[in-house]
Amino acid sequence: MSVRTPDPDPDWTPKPPAGAPNTNPGWLKDVELAEIRRRLPILYIEAVPVRVDGLGQVVEVGVLLRARPTGEMTRTLVSGRVLYGETLRDALFRHLEKDLGPMAFPQLPASPVPFTVAEYFPMPGITAYTDDRQHAVSLAYVVPVTGTCDPRQDALEITWMTPAEAASPGVSAEMEGGRGTLLRAALASVGQLY
C-alpha cells in the first residue's frame, strides 16, 4: 500500500536571500521526479502534531483524514519532500503550515533531531514502511501546535484524539504505508506508549 505523500505546489518558491534572484531550484517536473524516484532515495519529513498540557505532556494527537483518488478514506500524518537548498527546519515548518494551515502555530524543536528515521521501500517486507512509488527516507518529528488547525492541501480534516486512541489498532488500520507503526513510535518517544 502506498504512502502517497502530497507533492508541494510547483509555484512555491523559497524566499531568496536579500539581493538574490527568486528561483526555485528545488522543484522537479513530474517527468524528472519520476526518473529520480527510480534511481535515488528521496528525503522527506513527517510530523505528528500534538497538543500538550502545562507540563509538556502530550494530551492530544492530530491525525489527518484524506481521500485517495479511488475514493477510499485514509488517515495520515503531516509529510512532504525536503527541497534542494531547504533546511530541515524550513521543510518541517512549510509542510506543517501547508497541511494544518497558517494559524496552527507549530512549536518547532530547538534542535531538528527526529525521534526516528523511517525508510520506505516500494517492495513490502524490507521495513514496516512502504511506498509503491519510491525508496524514501523520512525524518519524523513530534511537533506541538498551539493554534487553530484548518487542514489544507488534500487533507479533509484533522482529528484530535487521546494518545491511547491514536495508538489503537483501529487507527493504525486506517493509516497506509506503515504510518500506524510510525505514529506508535512517536507516542513511545514522548512517553505515551508503554
Side-chain angles (χ1 to χ4, degrees):
M1 183 179 287
S2 170
V3 75
R4 304 312 305 175
T5 53
D7 288 329
D9 179 357
D11 296 324
W12 177 86
T13 302
K15 292 180 182 174
N22 191 2
T23 61
N24 187 353
W27 185 254
L28 299 169
K29 295 181 176 114
D30 288 342
V31 172
E32 294 169 326
L33 180 58
E35 182 63 27
I36 288 171
R37 280 179 166 159
R38 283 193 295 274
R39 296 171 182 246
L40 299 169
I42 305 292
L43 181 61
Y44 282 79
I45 60 89
E46 293 187 275
V48 178
V50 297
R51 297 209 186 271
V52 297
D53 64 15
L55 296 175
Q57 296 294 313
V58 173
V59 293
E60 289 185 307
V61 179
V63 181
L64 297 170
L65 180 67
R66 288 200 170 114
R68 294 185 61 179
T70 61
E72 177 187 8
M73 303 301 270
T74 61
R75 298 221 176 256
T76 192
L77 305 172
V78 172
S79 63
R81 291 195 309 264
V82 177
L83 300 177
Y84 178 81
E86 184 177 42
T87 67
L88 294 175
R89 180 178 300 285
D90 288 343
L92 189 57
F93 185 81
R94 179 170 58 86
H95 288 293
L96 284 160
E97 185 175 78
K98 281 184 156 224
D99 283 353
L100 302 180
M103 301 305 289
F105 301 129
Q107 305 298 300
L108 297 183
S111 174
V113 176
F115 71 84
T116 195
V117 176
E119 196 169 8
Y120 292 85
F121 285 92
M123 52 291 239
I126 297 174
T127 68
Y129 311 108
T130 59
D131 182 336
D132 63 1
R133 302 168 302 160
Q134 65 190 340
H135 176 189
V137 176
S138 181
L139 307 178
Y141 300 86
V142 175
V143 181
V145 295
T146 59
T148 303
C149 295
D150 184 22
R152 301 176 349 162
Q153 285 290 88
D154 62 345
L156 301 174
E157 71 175 28
I158 185 166
T159 304
W160 292 99
M161 52 188 76
T162 67
E165 291 168 332
S168 72
V171 171
S172 286
E174 293 177 356
M175 301 183 92
E176 52 187 2
R179 286 209 170 132
T181 301
L182 189 64
L183 180 56
R184 291 177 58 82
L187 292 169
S189 78
V190 294
Q192 291 296 321
L193 191 62
Y194 309 102

